[in-house]
Amino acid sequence: MALAPYLLARAIDDGLEPGDRAALIGWSAALLGMGAFNAWLGIMRHRTMTRLRMDANFRTVKVVVGHAVRLGAALSRRAGAGEVVTIGVSDVQTISGSLTVVGPGVGALVAYLVVAGLLLTLSPLLAGVILLGIPVIAVIAGPLLARLQSTETTYRERQSVLTARIGDLASGLRVLNGLGGKGLVADAFHRDSQRLRAQGYRVGAVTSWLQALGIGLPTVFLAVITWLAARLAAQGQLTVGELVSVYGYVAVLVPMVAFFVECGYGISRGLVAARRVAAFLRLEPAADHGTLPHARSDSRGGTPVAPAEPSVLHDPESGVRVLPGRLTALAGARPAESAAVIDRLGRYAESAATWGGVRLDDIQLAQIRERILVADNEADLFAGTLRELVSGSRDPAEEDIARAVHAAAADDIVQGLPDGLDSAVDAQGRSLSGGQRQRVRLVRALLAEPEVLLAVEPTSALDAHTEATVADRLRARRAGRTTVVTSTSPLVLDRADTVFYLVEGKVVASGSHHRLLDEEPGYRGLVARDAGEDADLDGETDAVADGDVDTAGDVDAGVGEAVR
């Protein structure tokens, strides 16, 4: 683009002014060729920038998703859902967009210097004015770019908070309606959105000044250079062709300076987004030591290994001692305390828990994950067919799926769907009721056939009849293998070989369900309260048509998010 004014000047001075038709035609043909080349270059530039933008987008998404998978269970403990969503949607787009302005920005700088060199052959004064433009732009736009980064960072943080609230509302709206808390959460969302809007205005204020500079500074250049060139032409220091070329150079500089300012603006926003992505990529999964000096090593003196045979799981912090091959239940007034024991026994939290006398954090994590499965009652359910949902990465036989479905009393779910196991299920199982989601999670856990199954509240959303069925079939299905469940339901506790009664996260009594009922008043009060609740649920015959209490399931699955 910067060469076109030069060709135009040559056509005027060498052809038009002296009347040399051949020179005029030659320079005009060169000008036409340059125009055609620029048109082709514009097409290729657009294609290249589109490819670059899409490539950057997908590469960033790939590395973010890959790292999220690497973090695994640590993801929810290290980063909020709103932050991850904002990175995956907004920040990725900003990064890919910023890369597309780098090329034009660098090109604008090169063209700026080329124009300055061409003007130097015409007038050192004009070249000096052009060269002074870059420092002027840096001085004026620099503070604005720094301020933009600051305001944009705050905006992104508040956007993450608001995105998380939207996710909470989407998953817990029915619960909020039932609890009467919809207005409270709506007010909190309104306050957050107002703060985000106010911060957006601050970002917009800085952006408007930068965009104004992108138009205003070239206009100032145009006025100054035009006035100086006209004076030089009137004084006879510039020819007519050179005067026209100066006008052309300035016309070229108008979009170039705008590109330069846009490049600074885009890179500034891209840096904010990139810092957020980099901060996410710096998060590390749970440490896998596996080589502490006091650990028992294998027969070759290498890295400590998991016990070769089913062994005792022991959590010193709570006093829970799980014998192999038995169905063990943890009962406590606070479900979070029972779940914390499960996290320690499944090595999802740092602790001194042991397996066969070896500290869990001394064993390679891959060995633990291969043999011990923690089944959370709010574990994620990904979109896909029901078969894919329960199979995971495995390819189980049809008979194995049928047995797991029967053990979880989920036959009615499969029969009620239009295409059975091949029916599509929405993300997080939103097309299913609360109790159905819980049984689908149990099917997935049973189908994995782990040596040790640690299940958190696997029947809390079920009606009494279905819960009793699941408890009986779970015991039969897992006969001879280690199974631990957390529950306060007498229907589940009655099927357990050993029940640990927890108070403030510590074992105060253990034994059979009936022995604890006779000897522990606190346990009796806890279980009797739960039995009363089961009776109430069992009486709601209009709510259990599909084998679960949907309201109870939704409260169990979403009350944590709603309260937060």
Side-chain angles (χ1 to χ4, degrees):
M1 292 176 65
L3 295 178
Y6 173 80
L7 297 177
L8 182 61
R10 296 279 63 80
I12 294 174
D13 288 342
D14 298 345
L16 185 60
E17 188 173 0
D20 188 341
R21 182 180 296 272
L24 179 60
I25 293 175
W27 286 113
S28 297
L31 188 60
L32 178 61
M34 178 62 69
F37 176 74
N38 276 332
W40 174 83
L41 195 62
I43 295 173
M44 299 308 298
R45 180 174 61 246
H46 179 74
R47 290 183 179 182
T48 302
M49 290 302 166
T50 301
R51 182 174 180 176
L52 175 65
R53 181 173 61 252
M54 300 301 293
D55 182 71
N57 189 313
F58 290 125
R59 283 178 183 270
T60 311
V61 167
K62 184 178 179 180
V63 72
V64 168
V65 172
H67 191 65
V69 173
R70 177 171 172 262
L71 288 173
L75 175 60
S76 59
R77 296 176 173 88
R78 306 286 178 85
E83 181 180 356
V84 178
V85 171
T86 302
I87 288 175
V89 177
S90 180
D91 291 335
V92 167
Q93 294 287 348
T94 302
I95 291 171
S96 61
S98 68
L99 292 183
T100 62
V101 301
V102 174
V106 174
L109 179 61
V110 173
Y112 198 89
L113 297 176
V114 169
V115 169
L118 292 172
L119 286 178
L120 187 60
T121 63
L122 301 178
S123 169
L125 176 61
L126 295 178
V129 173
I130 291 294
L131 291 174
L132 284 175
I134 295 294
V136 170
I137 293 175
V139 169
I140 295 177
L144 289 174
L145 292 175
R147 184 179 176 187
L148 176 65
Q149 289 192 37
S150 175
T151 55
E152 185 87 11
T153 299
T154 304
Y155 179 82
R156 293 295 186 193
E157 292 172 352
R158 291 182 177 175
Q159 189 179 38
S160 298
V161 172
L162 196 63
T163 303
R165 287 199 182 277
I166 293 174
D168 292 345
L169 285 171
S171 61
L173 188 58
R174 295 175 64 184
V175 182
L176 293 172
N177 280 329
L179 298 176
K182 184 171 65 174
L184 182 65
V185 177
D187 290 340
F189 181 84
H190 178 72
R191 288 192 300 271
D192 287 340
S193 64
Q194 292 301 310
R195 283 194 288 266
L196 180 65
R197 184 179 68 173
Q199 188 64 27
Y201 285 154
R202 296 187 185 97
V203 174
V206 181
T207 302
S208 65
W209 277 105
L210 285 171
Q211 292 177 343
L213 287 176
I215 298 175
L217 286 179
T219 304
V220 172
F221 276 110
L222 179 63
V224 172
I225 298 299
T226 301
W227 180 76
L228 289 175
R231 285 183 59 85
L232 293 174
Q235 295 170 3
Q237 299 181 32
L238 292 179
T239 65
V240 175
E242 291 172 340
L243 178 61
V244 172
S245 69
V246 170
Y247 281 112
Y249 292 144
V250 174
V252 170
L253 287 178
V254 170
M256 294 302 166
V257 176
F259 275 147
F260 189 71
V261 175
E262 180 70 17
C263 178
Y265 168 68
I267 291 177
S268 179
R269 297 186 68 234
L271 283 173
V272 174
R275 289 192 186 105
R276 290 172 56 84
V277 174
F280 177 74
L281 296 179
R282 281 195 295 268
L283 298 178
E284 290 294 333
D288 185 11
H289 305 296
T291 54
L292 296 183
H294 61 270
R296 187 179 69 191
S297 301
D298 61 12
S299 58
R300 294 162 297 185
T303 302
V305 296
E309 299 177 351
S311 302
V312 174
L313 273 171
H314 178 51
D315 175 35
E317 185 172 337
S318 64
V320 171
R321 187 177 182 84
V322 179
L323 299 180
R326 297 171 65 88
L327 175 59
T328 304
L330 309 180
R334 298 176 181 176
E337 294 174 350
S338 301
V341 176
I342 295 294
D343 280 347
R344 292 193 291 270
L345 293 177
R347 197 180 153 184
Y348 282 99
E350 294 185 3
S351 70
T354 62
W355 187 20
V358 181
R359 283 176 60 109
L360 283 172
D361 55 11
D362 290 344
I363 304 172
Q364 287 186 346
L365 188 60
Q367 298 182 47
I368 296 175
R369 295 288 178 261
E370 185 178 346
R371 297 171 60 185
I372 299 178
L373 173 64
V374 174
D376 197 319
N377 64 342
E378 293 185 13
D380 290 320
L381 298 174
F382 298 102
T385 64
L386 183 59
R387 185 187 305 276
E388 294 170 340
L389 203 60
V390 299
S391 300
S393 59
R394 299 171 298 277
D395 187 18
E398 200 75 22
E399 298 77 11
D400 293 334
I401 297 178
R403 285 194 292 269
V405 167
H406 179 72
D411 306 82
D412 60 310
I413 301 176
V414 178
Q415 296 167 4
L417 294 173
D419 298 317
L421 287 170
D422 295 317
S423 300
V425 178
D426 294 342
Q428 300 302 338
R430 293 190 181 95
S431 54
L432 304 174
S433 68
Q436 288 176 330
R437 289 194 295 270
Q438 194 166 51
R439 285 181 285 162
V440 166
R441 291 186 179 102
L442 184 57
V443 171
R444 182 170 63 182
L446 293 175
L447 198 55
E449 297 288 358
E451 177 185 321
V452 179
L453 175 61
L454 309 176
V456 178
E457 300 287 348
T459 63
S460 60
L462 306 182
D463 66 273
H465 173 73
T466 308
E467 187 175 30
T469 302
V470 170
D472 285 332
R473 294 178 181 178
L474 177 63
R475 179 181 176 85
R477 170 82 177 188
R478 296 286 301 172
R481 285 176 291 182
T482 308
T483 305
V484 181
V485 298
T486 68
S487 179
T488 55
S489 168
L491 298 173
V492 176
L493 299 173
D494 187 44
R495 274 75 173 177
D497 297 311
T498 304
V499 178
F500 288 97
Y501 173 45
L502 305 178
V503 176
E504 296 184 355
K506 308 292 184 183
V507 175
V508 296
S510 64
S512 68
H513 169 61
H514 294 287
R515 188 173 77 80
L516 291 177
L517 282 176
D518 293 337
E519 300 177 1
E520 289 292 332
Y523 178 82
R524 185 166 55 249
L526 174 66
V527 172
R529 180 190 64 182
D530 194 76
E533 292 175 356
D534 285 339
D536 292 340
L537 291 176
D538 194 37
E540 295 178 1
T541 57
D542 60 334
V544 297
D546 65 349
D548 63 84
V549 181
D550 188 38
T551 302
D554 286 334
V555 170
D556 182 70
V559 71
E561 295 293 334
V563 171
R564 187 180 70 179

